[in-house]
Amino acid sequence: MSGISAQLVKKLRDLTDAGMMDCKKALVEVAGDLQKAIDFLREKGLSKAAKKADRIAAEGVVALEVAPDFKSAMMVEINSETDFVAKNEGFKELVKKTLETIKAHNIHTTEELLKSPLDNKPFEEYLHSQIAVIGENILVRKIAHLKAPSSHIINGYAHSNARVGVLIAIKYDNEKNAPKVVELARNIAMHAAAMKPQVLDSKDFSLDFVKKETLALIAEIEKDNEEAKRLGKPLKNIPTFGSRIELSDEVLAHQKKAFEDELKAQGKPEKIWDKIVPGKMERFIADNTLIDQRLTLLGQFYVMDDKKTIAQVVADCSKEWDDDLTITEYVRFELGEGIEKKAENFAEEVALQMK
């Protein structure tokens, strides 16, 4: 074994994820021929390749496919260990076959996918074979498969770097507007790809989450105001609330009365209040929904018209097209989101295995 270098053992382990001693024995058995050593280990079973799941897979691609009639769409996040492998032709073929399998068997979860047949064997077996051939851990991490009910369209957008994908479903009433709704959905999907909203609507937040985020938001604005004051710049309003879900009818009615009392105290005639109060209320709502503006799709200001929120854009299109548009589904995948990469110390690993 002394003639087999540690670098060669490491390379074989990286390709197969077999144990250190197994890699050494394989290389000795085939006189140091790397390809023959890979074959030697594969003959002992693909379970060796499956052990690559212990390694972090945070690169890869987000891929999507929208049906020509915009009535269904699929999106997957498939992870690999390196960006280099994600550009491999074998990996691209795996992505293609994954989407084909999802479509053929109406799959909605990764668990369903692994059990589904592909080329007369379970998809999981096919995946393990590709792990062995490609030489990295590969993981189908997320699947989204949307079907459009009647009077709905689904469209999407995948960024050119294959790291971000978005699907949007919109309900509409007037069939003649379908082509315009298709375009609107794609534009909103492009917005979401860039601006990273976490949820569709503030209703998707819990009250505890909003209260916690509001405290952090107030602290952030107060800190910004300290710097603005030092530089002689205008100060930002400190919000009382953070999301529309906190602005009940009672809260809004109380605020409206507060503005009216303020105008009365200033001696403003009551006949002009209805020209002043709506603008003040609009500003109050804007100042007290900053979490929505940051984290919800409907609450964000549209990148193509930053004076309107996505909700306002949808409402304006409804009015202009004599329709009733509603975004009903929003799915966004970003490659590796939530995965923590870890640094591996090969020398330490070898030392542990040699004990």
Side-chain angles (χ1 to χ4, degrees):
M1 290 192 186
S2 59
I4 305 299
S5 70
Q7 288 81 4
L8 190 59
V9 174
K10 180 182 185 301
K11 189 169 184 179
L12 180 58
R13 184 188 184 284
D14 287 343
L15 290 171
T16 65
D17 215 22
M20 297 295 302
M21 297 308 295
D22 286 337
C23 288
K24 281 189 176 183
K25 289 175 183 176
L27 286 164
V28 169
E29 188 72 22
V30 297
D33 187 311
L34 185 62
Q35 187 56 53
K36 287 183 179 178
I38 292 171
D39 294 339
F40 180 89
L41 288 168
R42 284 180 187 162
E43 288 169 6
K44 292 183 177 295
L46 289 174
S47 59
K48 296 295 183 185
K51 288 182 180 178
K52 287 181 177 289
D54 291 336
R55 300 219 299 260
I56 299 299
E59 296 297 332
V61 301
V62 172
L64 64 82
E65 182 180 312
V66 178
D69 62 358
F70 302 100
K71 293 300 181 182
S72 65
M74 305 170 291
M75 183 164 64
V76 294
E77 177 186 348
I78 303 181
N79 299 134
S80 61
E81 292 178 55
T82 65
D83 182 54
F84 177 77
V85 161
K87 298 182 175 77
N88 177 288
E89 289 304 317
F91 186 87
K92 291 178 181 178
E93 180 66 14
L94 184 150
V95 173
K96 179 172 175 283
K97 283 182 177 279
T98 301
L99 286 169
E100 288 173 352
T101 305
I102 291 170
K103 183 177 181 180
H105 300 287
N106 192 27
I107 291 165
H108 293 81
T109 68
T110 55
E111 292 79 9
E112 292 174 349
L113 174 66
L114 294 176
K115 295 174 184 176
S116 297
L118 174 63
D119 299 334
N120 298 316
K121 59 186 177 184
F123 183 89
E124 185 171 21
E125 187 175 328
Y126 164 74
L127 179 61
H128 285 172
S129 71
Q130 294 308 297
I131 289 171
V133 171
I134 294 171
E136 283 197 5
N137 180 26
I138 298 170
L139 173 69
V140 182
R141 185 171 177 237
K142 294 179 184 176
I143 294 174
H145 194 174
L146 305 187
K147 299 288 185 70
S150 60
S151 299
H152 282 68
I153 67 91
I154 299 170
N155 206 353
Y157 170 77
H159 194 58
S160 58
N161 64 6
R163 299 184 70 87
V164 178
V166 177
L167 295 178
I168 297 285
I170 299 181
K171 180 184 178 298
Y172 64 102
D173 291 338
N174 195 332
E175 189 59 36
K176 73 177 183 180
N177 291 325
K180 290 186 283 190
V181 178
V182 166
E183 183 180 3
L184 177 64
R186 178 169 171 79
N187 288 341
I188 292 174
M190 291 176 68
H191 164 97
M195 302 308 293
K196 304 182 179 183
Q198 290 185 8
V199 295
L200 173 60
D201 194 337
S202 59
K203 294 174 185 175
D204 296 319
F205 292 139
S206 71
L207 194 55
D208 286 345
F209 172 82
V210 168
K211 289 184 180 300
K212 181 180 176 182
E213 288 296 308
T214 301
L215 289 174
L217 178 66
I218 290 171
E220 177 187 321
I221 294 174
E222 287 175 342
K223 189 175 179 68
D224 289 345
N225 279 348
E226 288 177 9
E227 182 67 8
K229 187 175 181 180
R230 186 180 70 81
L231 297 173
K233 294 183 177 181
L235 303 184
K236 297 177 183 177
N237 291 335
I238 304 294
T240 303
F241 306 101
S243 171
R244 187 74 197 222
I245 65 169
E246 297 177 292
L247 302 184
S248 63
D249 291 342
E250 291 78 11
V251 167
L252 294 175
H254 180 271
Q255 189 59 46
K256 181 182 179 184
K257 186 175 185 309
F259 285 139
E260 290 172 346
D261 290 345
E262 183 182 287
L263 292 173
K264 184 177 181 179
Q266 292 171 354
K268 302 285 186 184
E270 189 170 345
K271 64 182 180 180
I272 67 168
W273 288 1
D274 61 352
K275 294 181 174 60
I276 300 173
V277 171
K280 285 181 172 289
M281 288 298 296
E282 187 174 315
R283 178 59 188 271
F284 172 80
I285 291 170
D287 285 344
N288 287 273
T289 56
L290 293 178
I291 293 172
D292 299 351
Q293 293 167 35
R294 292 184 180 186
L295 302 181
T296 74
L297 177 62
L298 292 176
Q300 287 186 339
F301 284 91
Y302 191 31
V303 292
M304 296 183 183
D305 183 352
D306 61 8
K307 291 181 173 57
K308 297 179 181 178
T309 64
I310 296 292
Q312 289 169 332
V313 168
V314 172
D316 287 352
C317 287
S318 293
K319 185 176 181 181
E320 181 182 343
W321 302 344
D322 190 25
D323 211 323
D324 184 14
L325 308 180
T326 306
I327 299 177
T328 57
E329 290 193 75
Y330 159 61
V331 184
R332 183 182 187 276
F333 288 173
E334 182 162 354
L335 188 64
E337 189 172 45
I339 297 176
E340 291 187 11
K341 294 185 180 182
K342 65 180 179 182
E344 294 185 353
N345 188 317
F346 181 68
E348 287 182 4
E349 187 178 347
V350 171
L352 286 170
Q353 294 205 30
M354 294 298 288
K355 286 183 178 179

